[in-house]
Amino acid sequence: MKQKLLLAFLLILSIKSFSQDSKISIEMHYPIPIGQNFIEKSYNGIIDIGAKYRFTEIKNINIGASINGGILVNNTNDSNVDQNFKVKSYLIQPKIFAELKIESISKLHPFVGFGYTFMIFDVSGTNNGFDVSSSGKTESGINANFGVSYDITNKIFIDIQYDYVKLQVDKETPNTTFNTNVNLLKIGLGFRI
């Protein structure tokens, strides 16, 4: 049974790979925190994976929806003050996007997107001898995104994009740009299905 399902999946995938107008693409990026904010100062990017679906075309503009999920990690390990904890931030970013099709440069596709970002902070380890594993929280805010992709082949492309996130702050966090602005540069590779 498993072999038949695998064969059916491969058949569908091979038929889709020969189609001219792919509406779905999957992407994998390396996220780089930038800017003067708490994410850039303390976190390293691990991976960002996404999917886009182009549901309509208006003249030379594709309109669609996308979702990305990423991981950022903050490792704190300072033996002088007894800090040994890790913070993982899981990002979930649903967006609506518009992608420009330029006839004279058909391999280049600038795009812009707007959506929302959820940052789930998961803490594990100790801080000054206290277990901080249950101190995670979720922050969220609006997201603006722009970038450009370049077609290597009909199915494979590279892209670079910038995400700006404006987080909402709670009463405990000072409302400063250092605490509310998140800037991510994403460099990656994509595949049109």
Side-chain angles (χ1 to χ4, degrees):
M1 181 68 179
K2 289 181 182 180
Q3 292 173 342
K4 290 180 182 179
L5 288 173
L6 179 62
L7 183 62
F9 175 73
L10 291 174
L11 181 63
I12 291 168
L13 186 62
S14 65
I15 291 170
K16 269 307 242 186
S17 69
F18 292 109
S19 68
Q20 294 292 354
D21 295 324
S22 299
K23 292 185 180 276
I24 299 174
S25 62
I26 54 174
E27 304 169 348
M28 184 170 63
H29 299 100
Y30 176 66
I32 304 167
I34 58 174
Q36 298 294 321
N37 55 59
F38 76 101
I39 293 292
E40 187 270 335
K41 293 293 182 195
S42 304
Y43 287 80
N44 296 316
I46 301 296
I47 193 166
D48 177 85
I49 298 173
K52 286 184 176 178
Y53 176 69
R54 293 154 190 83
F55 50 77
T56 190
E57 182 179 344
I58 303 169
K59 295 191 180 184
N60 286 332
I61 300 174
N62 286 323
I63 307 292
S66 69
I67 188 159
N68 284 65
I71 302 173
L72 305 172
V73 174
N74 173 359
N75 287 319
T76 301
N77 195 355
D78 186 353
S79 60
N80 293 332
V81 290
D82 195 28
Q83 292 182 329
N84 186 11
F85 63 90
K86 180 186 281 188
V87 181
K88 290 182 183 174
S89 179
Y90 300 99
L91 282 75
I92 302 169
Q93 299 178 292
K95 295 183 209 88
I96 299 293
F97 71 91
E99 179 182 66
L100 185 61
K101 292 169 66 176
I102 306 169
E103 289 183 24
S104 60
I105 313 171
S106 62
K107 292 183 176 251
L108 197 66
H109 307 282
F111 57 88
V112 63
F114 296 98
Y116 206 76
T117 294
F118 301 93
M119 296 184 77
I120 303 161
F121 293 94
D122 182 26
V123 183
S124 62
T126 60
N127 186 10
N128 294 321
F130 295 101
D131 184 14
V132 292
S133 297
S134 63
S135 61
K137 65 179 183 176
T138 300
E139 295 186 12
S140 61
I142 59 170
N143 177 216
N145 164 268
F146 67 88
V148 64
S149 66
Y150 181 79
D151 296 340
I152 296 172
T153 68
N154 285 343
K155 295 292 174 192
I156 299 171
F157 61 91
I158 56 174
D159 75 348
I160 185 166
Q161 55 184 290
Y162 168 76
D163 275 318
Y164 169 76
V165 180
K166 182 70 170 177
L167 295 175
Q168 300 172 354
V169 293
D170 54 21
K171 295 174 185 173
E172 301 168 2
T173 307
N175 189 3
T176 64
T177 57
F178 183 82
N179 293 324
T180 60
N181 293 355
V182 175
N183 303 289
L184 296 171
L185 183 65
K186 298 178 183 179
I187 301 168
L189 181 69
F191 180 75
R192 291 185 184 90
I193 299 175

